[in-house]
Amino acid sequence: QIIDRKKNIFKLAQGEYIRPDYIENVYKQSQYIGNIFIYGDSNETYLVAIIVPDFEVLELWCKQNNLSNIANIKDKLVNNTRIINLIRNDMDKIAKKEELNGFEKVKRFKLIQDEFTPESGLLTPSMKLKRNVAKNTFLKDIKQLYAQAAKSKL
């Protein structure tokens, strides 16, 4: 049984229904994730995500792991391979702990430095994600994530 807001549920290419709010809340358990937007395309078999890291936690991690030189430079943090791998490993660990199905796990993601806020139009005043606005805002990034995956399969 799938429980979520009906208008948020979507189907992937293999016919599995996805409940993005639930999956986002699972991944938000990561200390490194401040906010996350999960997206799935009905022509694809997996999920992608746009992630805003928790920069305070990352700054502390950087200072403890010889990355002090970029600890408070957001654009360097979101593109650093060690940070990306740190978040990927934590997401995998949480997905396993919460017993997410394979099709519910995020396969590719992009880290961004701008917070989701009501002022940016991505959140409602009650701090809920506006999925349609988020999709339109990050459409270029989403297409790149799916294109990268297509290239890596060759």
Side-chain angles (χ1 to χ4, degrees):
Q1 186 177 14
I2 296 177
I3 300 172
D4 200 343
R5 293 172 74 184
K6 186 174 181 179
K7 66 180 182 175
N8 289 345
I9 294 175
F10 55 84
K11 215 185 227 192
L12 291 178
Q14 72 270 35
E16 299 291 351
Y17 283 99
I18 299 296
R19 46 196 179 153
D21 289 344
Y22 171 75
I23 297 168
E24 286 166 353
N25 287 328
V26 166
Y27 283 125
K28 281 182 190 174
Q29 293 175 32
S30 169
Q31 63 179 331
Y32 306 111
I33 295 178
N35 216 329
I36 184 170
F37 164 57
I38 300 238
Y39 180 79
D41 189 306
S42 59
N43 297 320
E44 300 290 347
T45 58
Y46 59 91
L47 301 174
V48 295
I50 303 295
I51 298 173
V52 180
D54 187 322
F55 289 105
E56 289 176 20
V57 173
L58 282 183
E59 187 176 341
L60 188 63
W61 184 88
C62 285
K63 288 176 181 172
Q64 295 167 348
N65 291 276
N66 299 326
L67 287 174
S68 296
N69 56 329
I70 65 164
N72 50 14
I73 306 170
K74 288 183 178 182
D75 64 327
K76 291 209 174 165
L77 285 172
V78 298
N79 293 307
N80 183 282
T81 308
R82 282 181 64 193
I83 299 291
I84 292 167
N85 289 335
L86 171 75
I87 292 174
R88 157 69 58 215
N89 292 337
D90 202 45
M91 288 174 70
D92 290 345
K93 197 165 51 180
I94 288 168
K96 190 172 188 170
K97 185 185 95 180
E98 293 294 324
E99 299 177 354
L100 287 182
N101 293 311
F103 60 85
E104 293 176 311
K105 294 175 184 169
V106 169
K107 299 286 187 258
R108 297 206 174 265
F109 65 87
K110 177 177 174 129
L111 299 178
I112 62 166
Q113 56 186 349
D114 299 324
E115 299 282 339
F116 297 172
T117 62
E119 292 77 28
S120 69
L122 292 171
L123 297 179
T124 65
S126 61
M127 306 307 276
K128 290 189 177 108
L129 184 64
K130 292 181 180 176
R131 294 199 164 281
N132 212 24
V133 174
K135 177 190 163 205
N136 293 333
T137 302
F138 300 118
L139 194 57
K140 192 174 116 197
D141 296 320
I142 290 166
K143 285 182 178 177
Q144 280 180 336
L145 289 167
Y146 281 124
Q148 286 170 359
K151 281 182 197 167
S152 68
K153 288 178 188 171
L154 298 175

